[in-house]
Amino acid sequence: MKPIPPGSTLGVLGSGQLGRMFAIAARQLGYRVHVLSPDDDTPTGQVADLEIRAAYDDLDAVASFARGVSVVTFEFENVPAATTAACERFAPVRPGGNVLHTTQNRRREKTFLKDAGIPVTPFWSVHSPGDLQVALAQTGCPAVLKTADWGYDGKGQAKLASAADIDRVWPRFAGGESILESFIDFQCEISVVGARGADGSFVAYGPMQNSHANHILDVSFAPAAVKPSVAAEAIEIAREILRRLEVVGVLCVEFFVDRHDRLLVNELAPRPHNSGHLTIDACTTCQFEQQVRAVCGLPLGSPRQHRAAAMANLLGELWQAGPPNWSAALAQNDVKLHLYGKAAPRIGRKMGHLTALADTADEAVQRVHAARQALASA
């Protein structure tokens, strides 16, 4: 494909922090950025050239938006299929609507992975309490029930300790499609962020090792504390997934590593990922610049990581006792602060992140924890 050169205008569907960091990377490369979402004064809109407030199902507004850009990408996967179809009439969408269709539904995503021979967490489709009873007999307990659509950061899922939990849990899932997954006794969770160009070129970051709090990513670090063979296999699985999906852009593959060092894909995110934020400060080319390069048909950049790094999310809880002590955190050596421009902190809302660099991953984790704790100091 003919490259889309700097100076062109890139379109983003969605206006959160991932779009913001994409827009910053795009502007550094000399591109203009237009963003469309149902909100205004958004993290992305604050740094874009043009912010368009419109519903995703306002297809006239979507078409007008697409006419004004050279390519469309997205910063979250819950974009309606009709929206991407309307864009594709006037500009290429990368990754394509087919990638969104597969990854925005857990059953379709896991079925794709299973059919491709990719190791995936065992799952069963569930539409009724009867289906759930049958599936639970297959998985055993504990197991995890998840909505097929619209789930993220632990939303739309519940753990079942026994069949007695069905009556308590099912009302939250009635009326929609769900999947039941076997509960995996894992030693750690890792993620690989991959980028693929239109010419099939591929680069990868990671693996990054992730820990969660209240189902929300808390800290990620790289290099991950896994065997070299596990790291290499995770990257090759990611390569194969991006190839089979024909991704042009960035996609994250999240894995469980079980007690026997076996990899199981947990889920896919067809965009830059929270765990990859550390690449902004730790790598030659960050995941957001890689997204720009890929969707514009430019050569992919080097993903080389020049130091060990750890990233810690900053959630709205930090603001409960008053404004965080930014000076105390920034006084820490080799710590970088990234805030997303969100005006209203709320419990569980991602307001920003810290990245710490060090000679080892353990040192980076200790450093980023210390910096975040300093934010709460008087």
Side-chain angles (χ1 to χ4, degrees):
M1 83 184 186
K2 186 176 179 180
I4 297 168
S8 305
T9 301
L10 314 183
V12 183
L13 294 171
S15 58
Q17 62 267 18
L18 299 181
R20 179 188 184 92
M21 290 179 272
F22 170 84
I24 291 170
R27 291 179 73 111
Q28 287 176 330
L29 286 173
Y31 290 93
R32 294 185 177 274
V33 178
H34 292 181
V35 58
L36 182 143
S37 82
D39 304 304
D40 56 16
D41 191 27
T42 62
T44 308
Q46 291 166 9
V47 298
D49 294 274
L50 178 65
E51 181 176 44
I52 300 170
R53 182 176 182 179
Y56 295 120
D57 59 3
D58 182 348
L59 299 186
D60 288 337
V62 170
S64 177
F65 160 77
R67 286 189 190 98
V69 303
S70 296
V71 65
V72 174
T73 191
F74 42 85
E75 64 105 42
F76 80 128
E77 53 266 45
N78 292 334
V79 176
T83 305
T84 56
C87 288
E88 286 173 335
R89 292 166 52 203
F90 304 102
V93 176
R94 298 175 181 146
N98 63 306
V99 179
L100 272 183
H101 178 75
T102 298
T103 57
Q104 67 187 192
N105 176 279
R106 286 188 171 107
R107 177 187 54 78
R108 288 197 296 267
E109 177 178 286
K110 289 182 178 294
T111 299
F112 156 76
L113 293 167
K114 183 179 178 181
D115 290 348
I118 303 294
V120 65
T121 50
F123 68 98
W124 284 260
S125 182
V126 172
H127 295 85
S128 68
D131 288 346
L132 181 54
Q133 187 81 44
V134 171
L136 201 61
Q138 298 294 318
T139 62
C141 293
V144 182
L145 183 65
K146 300 179 179 181
T147 57
D149 298 313
W150 320 120
Y152 65 97
D153 284 348
K155 296 177 175 65
Q157 59 183 269
K159 185 177 178 181
L160 285 81
S162 72
D165 288 334
I166 292 177
D167 290 341
R168 173 183 60 83
V169 166
W170 182 252
R172 293 163 46 194
F173 294 82
E177 181 184 19
S178 301
I179 61 169
L180 186 73
E181 294 184 2
S182 297
F183 187 81
I184 304 300
D185 180 25
F186 59 88
Q187 58 173 295
C188 66
E189 296 182 42
I190 61 173
S191 56
V192 171
V193 175
R196 184 174 181 271
D199 61 354
S201 56
F202 173 84
V203 298
Y205 302 94
M208 279 77 71
Q209 188 162 328
N210 307 317
S211 60
H212 295 73
N214 299 318
H215 301 289
I216 300 174
L217 183 65
D218 185 45
V219 172
S220 295
F221 65 86
V226 296
K227 294 177 179 177
S229 59
V230 173
E233 182 184 1
I235 290 172
E236 286 309 306
I237 290 172
R239 183 196 302 270
E240 179 66 5
I241 290 171
L242 270 74
R243 185 189 70 82
R244 285 180 175 266
L245 283 173
E246 298 181 333
V247 169
V248 178
V250 168
L251 182 142
C252 177
V253 185
E254 298 178 47
F255 296 91
F256 294 129
V257 183
D258 76 7
R259 301 295 176 182
H260 304 286
D261 285 328
R262 292 178 301 207
L263 288 164
L264 295 169
V265 175
N266 178 32
E267 60 185 27
L268 310 178
R271 48 166 173 76
H273 191 260
N274 196 170
S275 64
H277 291 352
L278 58 81
T279 65
I280 297 172
D281 300 304
C283 295
T284 301
T285 309
C286 76
Q287 63 172 348
F288 298 99
E289 180 181 339
Q290 215 71 272
Q291 183 184 16
V292 176
R293 287 170 174 252
V295 303
C296 291
L298 298 174
L300 300 180
S302 167
R304 186 179 68 85
Q305 184 173 339
H306 49 79
R307 292 189 74 189
M311 183 281 309
N313 274 328
L314 305 179
L315 305 184
E317 291 90 312
L318 280 169
W319 278 254
Q320 283 187 296
N325 189 339
W326 305 118
S327 294
L330 290 173
Q332 309 287 320
N333 289 332
D334 295 318
V335 169
K336 301 281 283 186
L337 171 66
H338 299 262
L339 293 175
Y340 304 150
K342 298 179 181 180
R346 296 194 300 267
I347 301 298
R349 190 182 198 193
K350 294 172 183 174
M351 302 295 292
H353 70 269
L354 293 168
T355 303
L357 304 177
D359 293 331
T360 69
D362 285 345
E363 290 173 1
V365 170
Q366 293 170 12
R367 189 166 288 169
V368 84
H369 275 297
R372 187 166 60 181
Q373 290 167 0
L375 288 172
S377 61

